Structure formats: structure tokens, C-alpha cells
Amino acid sequence: MADTALVLGAGGVTGTAWESGILHGLAKAGVDLSTADLIVGSSAGAIAGAQLAFGPAGIGDLYERQLAAPENEKAAGRLGPVTVLRYARAVLSSRTPEEYGRRLGALARDSRPGAAADERREMIASRLPSSEWPGRHLLVTAVDASTGALHTFDSTGSVTLADAVTASCAIPLVWPVVSAGGGTWIDGGVHSPANAHLAAGYERVVVIAPTASGNKVIVSPRAQAAELEAAGARVEVITPDAGTRRAIGRNSLDPARRAAAARAGLAQSAAHTEAVAAVWNG
């Protein structure tokens, strides 16, 4: 088996902020997860993962940025009641994550989100530490809008880091479908909130998942972690505690909640430091 893997899951704007707080708090306590042999990032986790893959200093910078007032950002995205209902219908009529992805991909291609595709990419690119892929092994997930299949981007392909992360963050019916590398893509979290199964074969795995639940077609982070453990891995899973859930509120896409989510992550990290260190340091 390979050695260490860090999995960073999906969870909107507040998910990135919370993950940055968790990672920053762990680093301050001496547990540096930037040393991972593999980093898997989905949606919110793709932004945090890209930052972390460039080294430990970057995660402190990412955390500090979450505390700034969102004065210059576009209006918050929102999963309104109609959108949530369309998601629910897609779940109920699907038997596999791929079928669910196809249904949401079809809905996303027919929708007209408020932000233009180029504006959305520019905003995502501004949140990344570099336009180039990092040297560390980073996988960024997205779902094929046509087939519903999970796909991973990395430094060996032709898709830029900015396009890969924008694709991974393309929440259906909220943000535009992303065209890159000859395909069309939607949010990597559509396949599962964490995609922790991509860490199969690694001995020590830490999963940080802003979205803790699954449904009848989407496997939860803890269920995926259990499968990794059954295969012989040591795994620690971190999901939001009660304080974090209060800080995030009802709209994980609201930039106004970002600072509170980041501080909640920093506070929560202390409760996990010992367990994460035990896994990470063998």
C-alpha cells in the first residue's frame, strides 16, 4: 500500500472556509497534512486542496482570506427550494451515482445560471495560489455532465488547474457547466460528498468532509471510510460539529457565512488533533 492520503470534500463556500480552519488548526498543533502523498479535492475541497498542495504556508493564507469581508464578491449562489426539489427528484429516479449525475448534468446544461462561465472561472482562478499544477500529487474531481461518470483531473492532463477546479465547483443549476479538455463537467460532489474511495490503496487516510450525509445513491464519507478500513487502511474522518453547523447556517454558498465557518473549523480542530496525529504519524 502507498502511504498517506488526504481527502477534502464538497460543501460550498463555507465548506472551503471550514476546511481551511480545520487544516490551519491542525498545522498550528504540529500536524501538517500538506505532506500527503495524495490529496483528493472535490468542489470546496478542490480549492482547499489546491492551496495545500503548494505547501503548508498556503493554508494559513487561505484561512486568513476567509476572515475578510466579502465586499467585492458576486451575490451568493443559492440552492433554493425549486432547485432542491429538482435534486430530490433526480435522486428518487436514479439507482446509481452515474445515473444521478446524468440527470443533474442534463438539468444543468439546460439551465441559465446568473454568472457567465468566464466570470466564474476568473473568480475561481483568483482563489488559487497558481495557474500551474503543484508538484505534489493532487486529484481534482468532476462529474461528466453527459455520462454522469466521475472523472479526476491532475497534472498529467491537458486541463489547467483553474479549469479543473472550476469544473469541480460547478454546482448544477447554480453555476455554469464547465467545458474543458473536450468534455463538459459539473461538480465533483455530485458523485459523493468526499470521493474518499479514490484513496484506496493508501495506508493512512484523513477525510475532512463538510457534507457528512449521503442518500440512496450517494455514499456518505463515513461509509466510504469504512470500506477503506475494511481494506486495511487507518482512517480518521472529520465532519462538522454542532458549532460548525450553527456557523454555516442554511446556505453553504453564502460568502457572509465564510468567516464564521472558518473560525468554527479552527475551534473544532482541537478536538481532532490527537486522533489525526495518531493516523498521520503512524
Side-chain angles (χ1 to χ4, degrees):
M1 297 178 80
D3 203 4
T4 56
L6 172 64
V7 177
L8 298 168
V13 171
T14 56
T16 299
W18 175 75
E19 287 173 328
S20 76
I22 292 285
L23 292 166
H24 185 48
L26 291 173
K28 288 175 65 177
V31 185
D32 178 13
L33 299 187
S34 73
T35 62
D37 296 304
L38 170 69
I39 298 174
V40 178
S42 298
S43 197
I47 295 176
Q51 188 77 51
L52 191 68
F54 282 93
I59 204 63
D61 294 339
L62 179 63
Y63 174 77
E64 292 298 328
R65 290 205 303 274
Q66 308 310 304
L67 306 182
E71 297 175 353
N72 297 321
E73 295 193 23
K74 300 287 185 181
R78 187 170 183 85
L79 288 169
V82 173
T83 300
V84 171
L85 178 60
R86 297 176 84 178
Y87 273 50
R89 287 174 174 168
V91 167
L92 292 173
S93 58
S94 300
R95 292 173 294 178
T96 65
E98 291 76 19
E99 187 174 359
Y100 179 55
R102 285 196 300 275
R103 292 182 185 280
L104 286 188
L107 291 173
R109 291 196 305 272
D110 291 339
S111 69
R112 289 180 170 78
D118 57 346
E119 291 177 351
R120 178 66 176 161
R121 183 189 184 282
E122 182 179 348
M123 183 177 69
I124 294 293
S126 71
R127 298 178 179 178
L128 301 177
S130 172
S131 59
E132 303 295 329
W133 284 88
R136 191 167 295 281
H137 190 194
L138 171 67
L139 292 181
V140 174
T141 71
V143 167
D144 189 309
S146 298
T147 69
L150 181 67
H151 181 79
T152 58
F153 298 102
D154 63 17
S155 62
T156 65
S158 61
V159 173
T160 66
L161 178 62
D163 281 334
V165 175
T166 304
S168 191
C169 294
I171 301 172
L173 304 174
V174 177
W175 303 120
V177 171
V178 172
S179 297
T184 54
W185 313 101
I186 56 175
D187 195 293
V190 166
H191 190 269
S192 77
N195 293 307
H197 63 291
L198 295 175
Y202 285 77
E203 294 179 348
R204 293 174 286 152
V205 183
V206 172
V207 180
I208 303 176
T211 303
S213 61
N215 56 43
K216 81 180 188 75
V217 294
I218 291 178
V219 182
S220 72
R222 291 194 183 279
Q224 290 184 329
E227 292 179 358
L228 295 175
E229 289 175 329
R234 296 183 63 187
V235 186
E236 178 67 16
V237 181
I238 304 175
T239 57
D241 61 11
T244 293
R245 293 193 296 272
R246 287 193 297 271
I248 291 173
R250 296 184 177 182
N251 182 12
S252 64
L253 303 181
D254 185 358
R257 294 278 186 170
R258 197 174 55 196
R263 292 190 179 99
L266 182 62
Q268 185 181 345
S269 68
H272 301 278
T273 300
E274 184 176 348
V276 171
V279 168
W280 207 247
N281 298 327

